[in-house]
Amino acid sequence: MSALEARRSVALSLACGAVFGLGLVVSGMSNPAKVLAFLDVAGAWDPSLALVMAGAIGVHAPLLRVVLRRGAPLAGPAFVVPALRAIDGRLLAGAAVFGVGWGLGGYCPGPGIVSAGAGGATPVLFVVAMGVGVLVHRHLFERPRAPEATGGIAAEGDG
Amino acid sequence: MTLTGAITTAVGGAIIGLSATMFLAIHGRTAGISGILTGALTPARGPSRAVDVAFVLGLTLVGLVARFAAPQALGDASPSALVAIAAGLLVGFGTRLGSGCTSGHGVCGISRFSLRSVAATVTFMATGGVTVYLVRHMLGGGR
């Protein structure tokens, strides 16, 4: 990849992140109260999160098949689609732990980062702690791999 | 929820789906924010790290703009500092252990009809729901 291609790739990724953030803001998912109201099944329930996911999947599911029919991505070396793996204890335990944190703060990674960008001590604390949590897991469970072995990308994860 | 509110919400979701599609088409990767954040934090990972950092920056910049352009969309961050830290640690650790989050599993994985992602999504929604129930309706810590 030439320097120009690398710069273009980075600029395009910035744009993707910005569009994602826009979606979060427009959908109200950057507001933890709305997210918690969805999880609060026994209280004043707000179905918004379900609508957001339906909208997102409704667009992404059909389009991703069209995209994957191409030979290669526009700015990357190859498609990195997560490998098929069985549903295991790590997946379920991790999801369970993530859900608890989500229910406590009302933030998952994307909205947390957007809210931190807006300032405010709480989301910034959340994001810093989230980074620490990521690094703790890496330190405890993830052996360092040579970049070539995974193509420099966490191909073993689903995302 | 009003009809306008429902449409706006769904359109926001569609925009998220669009960005995930863009990211896949351009960079060939899943738009799982937990994975992208991990990549941004992981040293010596080659050109993909710049992509990860840029994506995170894009999210951050939108937040900054939203602070002035649409502050009502951000809401009041009510958890205490201690809760925010605990929440962050659990989310960071859990998304790595579980290989994904609401965008990685909930949007991208389910869009691929991945049973793993369906299982993960059901699980984190369940524990999220239980957590909120315990905090709001049992421990009296309603927000």
Side-chain angles (χ1 to χ4, degrees), chain A residues 13 40 74-75 80 85-86 104, chain B residues 25-26 28 51 116 136-137 143:
Chain A
S13 183
D40 189 5
L74 294 168
V80 181
R85 276 159 62 212
L104 280 177
Chain B
I26 296 168
V51 167
R116 268 178 64 90
R136 287 192 170 184
H137 302 284
R143 289 192 210 104

Side-chain angles (χ1 to χ4, degrees), chain A residues 7-144:
Chain A
R7 273 201 303 274
R8 204 172 61 115
S9 171
V10 165
L12 287 170
S13 183
L14 185 81
C16 288
V19 173
F20 197 104
L22 178 70
L24 287 175
V25 171
V26 168
S27 66
M29 293 297 98
S30 51
N31 181 355
K34 270 197 151 277
V35 172
L36 292 171
F38 171 79
L39 294 173
D40 189 5
V41 290
W45 189 60
D46 181 346
S48 292
L49 195 143
L51 265 178
V52 178
M53 289 200 39
I57 293 168
V59 166
H60 189 51
L63 288 181
L64 80 89
R65 279 152 182 82
V66 173
V67 167
L68 289 177
R69 263 183 247 137
R70 299 174 56 93
L74 294 168
F79 286 115
V80 181
V81 179
L84 268 114
R85 276 159 62 212
I87 295 169
D88 60 12
R90 288 189 51 177
L91 178 85
L92 297 178
V97 168
F98 161 51
V100 173
W102 191 33
L104 280 177
Y107 289 119
C108 60
I113 294 170
V114 169
S115 297
T122 322
V124 169
L125 275 176
F126 171 85
V127 170
V128 171
M130 179 169 60
V132 171
V134 165
L135 294 173
V136 166
H137 181 273
R138 256 194 53 225
H139 181 73
L140 290 177
F141 297 112
E142 295 171 40
R143 289 274 160 77

